[in-house]
Amino acid sequence: MHEVFAPSPQPGPARTIALALAALAAIAGLFVALAILGRGHDITATDLSIADGVRSLAPGDGAASVMRVLTHLGATDVALPLCLLVAYVLARIGDRSALLGLVGAYAATQAIVTLVKVIVERARPDSAEALAQAGGYAFPSGHSATAVVTYGALALIAARHLGPGARNAAIAAAVALAVLVGITRVYLGVHYPSDVLAGWLLGGLVLAVVWRLAVRAPAA
């Protein structure tokens, strides 16, 4: 007889992640609301000084080449196939809640980021100084939001299915990858730091809400 895999109740690390993501919700809502009200055109001196500081950390063509590669960790061509692969595995083992959380959070993030970009209409930094090409509006950073949702969801899934050591490693990796992707966007000159912060917050908000709804959904 075919057995459907039933994950154990959500362990402590998963609850910790969920609470941390939920704590970002109020900040994300306020931050995005202010950007929408101000139409996102005000670039602060803090934005510019942070961007200059990030670029000064690793100058040179070699560092720029590495950043161009690493930034794809938050791109659709990497994140989407990864999510689809994990979704397939979750479907095979019968973890419907995690499957809904992963797919729902990823899809919702792409839709919300696109909507906010159109509403805010913030132009990207000067393309003459950029080290990579990027089209569309800047706020919020889609790469940063996608990284938070993709790797955050994978960490939550790991917390459901793996042992303590692997769970902790997955959580640390998720945080590191999300931060890294955001840094590459600023370094390459395609986003302001506030774009990246908004992407992180939006991704965290969407993941927290969708994951919470998914794990509470009744079993089929």
Side-chain angles (χ1 to χ4, degrees):
M1 179 181 295
H2 177 69
E3 294 185 358
V4 177
F5 182 88
S8 58
Q10 195 177 37
R15 286 195 295 270
T16 301
I17 300 171
L19 288 173
L21 291 172
L24 296 175
I27 302 173
L30 176 62
F31 191 55
V32 173
L34 290 174
I36 291 174
L37 290 173
R39 301 293 288 175
H41 296 301
D42 293 333
I43 308 302
T44 67
T46 302
D47 252 334
L48 298 175
S49 63
I50 292 175
D52 289 340
V54 170
R55 284 191 288 269
S56 68
L57 292 176
D61 294 339
S65 297
V66 172
M67 292 292 186
R68 291 190 191 97
V69 173
L70 293 177
T71 201
H72 281 284
L73 291 170
T76 302
D77 56 0
V78 171
L80 180 56
L82 178 58
C83 286
L84 291 176
L85 175 61
V86 175
Y88 172 77
V89 174
L90 292 173
R92 292 282 295 178
I93 65 176
D95 190 348
R96 179 177 176 272
S97 296
L99 175 60
L100 289 174
L102 173 63
V103 174
Y106 185 91
T109 297
Q110 306 313 309
I112 294 173
V113 166
T114 299
L115 177 62
V116 175
K117 281 179 180 286
V118 172
I119 294 174
V120 177
E121 295 183 330
R122 175 189 277 184
R124 291 185 184 271
D126 186 359
S127 60
E129 299 180 6
L131 300 176
Q133 298 298 315
Y137 295 116
F139 184 96
S141 166
H143 279 64
S144 301
T146 298
V148 168
V149 167
T150 300
Y151 303 115
L154 295 185
L156 286 166
I157 292 167
R160 289 167 66 86
H161 295 286
L162 303 179
R167 285 200 300 262
N168 294 336
I171 294 169
V175 173
L177 289 171
V179 170
L180 179 60
V181 168
I183 290 174
T184 66
R185 304 311 285 169
V186 175
Y187 183 94
L188 294 172
V190 293
H191 280 292
Y192 296 104
S194 55
D195 300 332
V196 169
L197 176 59
W200 284 336
L201 292 173
L202 260 180
L205 169 60
V206 173
L207 180 57
V209 172
V210 174
W211 187 267
R212 189 67 174 171
L213 292 173
V215 297
R216 286 189 169 186

